[in-house]
Amino acid sequence: MGTPLDSREDQVVEVLDRLYEEYPDPTISLDFSNRLELLFAVVLSAQCTDERVNEVTAELFEKYRTPEDYATASEEQLAEDIYGITFHNSKASYLKESAQILIDEHDGEVPDTMAALTDLPGVGRKTANVVLQHGHDLTEGIVVDTHVRRISRRLGLTEEETPGKIERDLMTIVPEEDWKEYTHLLIEHGRATCTARNPDCSDCVLEDICPSSKLDHEVDLASGEAW
């Protein structure tokens, strides 16, 4: 078992330093070219892989260019066009309804506030954070997806369980200037090494400071130090 640092603040700084070195260019993995595409790509990504979303949106974004295109399409047609996405019927409804709200209340533009975004169907705080960060260059919080939840808990950075509580807890220890990249660093690490079922602790740059490490450490009884 690895040995965490003295405080969560020290722990998170060390985690960030090591992950920035390991993944120097962390970024969002969804494909989009404007704010509308970003919004809808993130909505579609709920409980679905980014790779699958990118496959579907490659054609979707060619066919639907404006909120009006989505609003005037039937839900049945939209559902067919996003078939293969998890919960495609529900998400087709989200796209159509959201597009109409954008037209009616926001002049066809994607809003730039947490309140307005979370008023859209299918948009929670996580999705809104992504849109604000990557669509408007505004960072109001930390995006907590499955990787962020899993690894933050494994590292002992939080003991909270729900995304909302985890986000609030992390915001007290992660430097604000790192809120955006924290998510992408942990996603990269979660995909490459710290997977859900079989984390590769032997090849992990955080292993020696991770309280959840599966590796056994020999202890020098004279010094009390692991080696």
Side-chain angles (χ1 to χ4, degrees):
M1 178 178 292
T3 304
L5 300 179
D6 290 338
S7 71
R8 292 192 304 152
E9 289 80 4
D10 291 339
Q11 179 91 338
V12 79
V13 168
E14 185 66 22
V15 166
L16 285 166
D17 285 346
R18 296 188 188 190
L19 292 184
Y20 273 126
E21 184 173 352
E22 186 75 4
Y23 312 104
D25 298 305
T27 188
I28 188 171
S29 55
L30 291 171
D31 295 334
F32 64 94
S33 61
N34 56 55
R35 291 167 180 164
L36 181 65
E37 291 182 359
L38 171 63
L39 170 63
F40 285 170
V42 182
V43 168
L44 294 177
S45 72
Q47 297 180 283
C48 188
T49 66
D50 289 353
E51 291 78 9
R52 182 58 180 156
V53 172
N54 288 337
E55 291 175 4
V56 170
T57 57
E59 294 185 10
L60 183 74
F61 293 160
E62 283 293 321
K63 182 174 181 179
Y64 300 90
R65 301 296 185 91
T66 67
E68 288 78 10
D69 291 338
Y70 290 94
T72 56
S74 68
E75 284 188 26
E76 293 76 15
Q77 183 61 56
L78 281 171
E80 181 179 328
D81 290 333
I82 62 172
Y83 185 79
I85 295 288
T86 312
F87 306 121
H88 61 280
N89 288 318
S90 296
K91 290 177 181 178
S93 175
Y94 295 158
L95 300 191
K96 181 177 175 65
E97 291 176 23
S98 292
Q100 192 62 57
I101 293 172
L102 295 182
I103 294 167
D104 294 341
E105 301 181 16
H106 303 287
D107 296 322
E109 300 295 328
V110 175
D112 62 358
T113 67
M114 179 67 68
L117 285 167
T118 53
D119 278 344
L120 299 173
V123 177
R125 185 174 173 88
K126 182 183 77 170
T127 295
N129 266 324
V130 176
V131 174
L132 289 174
Q133 290 177 8
H134 295 278
H136 295 286
D137 199 25
L138 298 171
T139 302
E140 294 190 12
I142 296 173
V143 177
V144 178
D145 78 337
T146 182
H147 297 289
V148 173
R149 178 186 184 276
R150 179 178 72 252
I151 300 174
S152 296
R153 286 172 52 81
R154 284 178 176 173
L155 289 169
L157 297 176
T158 183
E159 294 182 355
E160 300 292 351
E161 296 187 1
T162 63
K165 290 182 178 180
I166 290 172
E167 181 187 10
R168 288 192 292 273
D169 200 14
L170 291 175
M171 287 168 67
T172 67
I173 60 170
V174 178
E176 187 170 353
E177 62 269 22
D178 295 305
W179 285 359
K180 179 179 179 180
E181 302 306 338
Y182 179 84
T183 297
H184 299 304
L185 290 168
L186 266 62
I187 289 174
E188 294 270 13
H189 194 57
R191 290 172 174 166
T193 303
C194 195
T195 57
R197 294 186 178 180
N198 296 297
D200 188 1
C201 295
S202 63
D203 193 37
C204 178
V205 296
L206 305 176
E207 189 277 328
D208 62 309
I209 60 169
C210 179
S212 302
S213 170
K214 298 186 301 181
L215 301 187
D216 291 327
H217 289 257
E218 297 289 344
V219 176
D220 182 340
L221 296 180
S223 66
E225 294 179 351
W227 54 273

